[in-house]
Amino acid sequence: MGERLSARLRRVVDALPLEPGIRVLEIGGAPGAAARAVAEIVGESGHVLVLDRSAKGVALTETHCADEIERGVLSVLCAEVESFALPPGSERFDVAFACRVGVLDGRHPDRYEAALARIAEALSPQGRLFVDTGDPLDEVPLAHSRARPSGRSQRDRPAGPVT
């Protein structure tokens, strides 16, 4: 893997329930540092999709992750999480995660429900969502209570930190 992963992102990647062969959706993942680390773990039989709302961020990810994209273990999609949809016939994801994504961490509560609905549609029935509101992550339940976040610190959410 080219550049070294920051300590913060290393803790996030290490906390995710990753294994070879799974499909992972990274929300707001530009420029691709965490996605590259995740792609190493899920391997050639898995896949990582980096979703980012910034065209510039997507272009950076395409540059930084060119080898993984060429091998087919990573792809990139430019879209807002609250309005994206997987192309028809696409395989769903096993795990989704987001770091510093305002619509999921409480900075844009008016778009939170729409984002959760779109993520839930992109995940398999057993799929899990993790957000960096914990130490380092909180799991966000998708099948039941969808309380709106009130801000950056969400320790009162129904799911606890993932360690």
Side-chain angles (χ1 to χ4, degrees):
M1 182 166 91
E3 72 278 357
R4 208 170 140 267
L5 199 58
S6 72
R8 177 184 68 84
L9 285 179
R10 173 52 56 200
R11 287 183 53 215
V12 165
V13 170
D14 289 347
L16 290 168
L18 302 174
E19 58 188 60
I22 69 169
R23 293 177 51 80
V24 179
L25 171 63
E26 183 182 4
I27 302 154
R36 291 181 76 197
V38 170
E40 281 187 12
I41 297 167
V42 302
E44 300 296 320
S45 61
H47 190 80
V48 179
L49 172 62
V50 176
L51 175 69
D52 203 284
R53 68 186 332 123
S54 162
K56 182 178 179 182
V58 165
L60 284 171
T61 304
E62 290 172 336
T63 298
H64 292 146
C65 302
D67 291 341
E68 292 82 2
I69 292 169
E70 185 176 317
R71 291 194 335 262
V73 298
L74 192 143
S75 57
V76 186
L77 177 63
C78 186
E80 296 178 338
V81 66
E82 61 272 25
S83 61
F84 94 104
L86 293 177
S90 294
E91 207 175 327
R92 290 178 166 196
F93 292 86
D94 304 295
V95 172
F97 74 103
C99 294
R100 296 183 178 165
V101 175
V103 73
L104 295 173
D105 68 14
R107 289 179 281 159
H108 303 287
D110 56 316
R111 295 183 287 181
Y112 183 73
E113 292 294 327
L116 286 186
R118 304 314 291 181
I119 294 166
E121 289 176 14
L123 289 172
S124 70
Q126 297 79 30
R128 299 167 70 189
L129 169 63
F130 299 90
V131 179
D132 70 336
T133 53
D135 186 20
L137 296 168
D138 281 323
E139 183 169 1
V140 177
L142 293 173
H144 35 284
S145 173
R146 289 192 172 133
R148 290 181 189 265
S150 57
R152 217 33 214 148
S153 177
Q154 300 176 38
R155 302 213 190 270
D156 59 332
R157 305 258 318 237
V162 176
T163 55

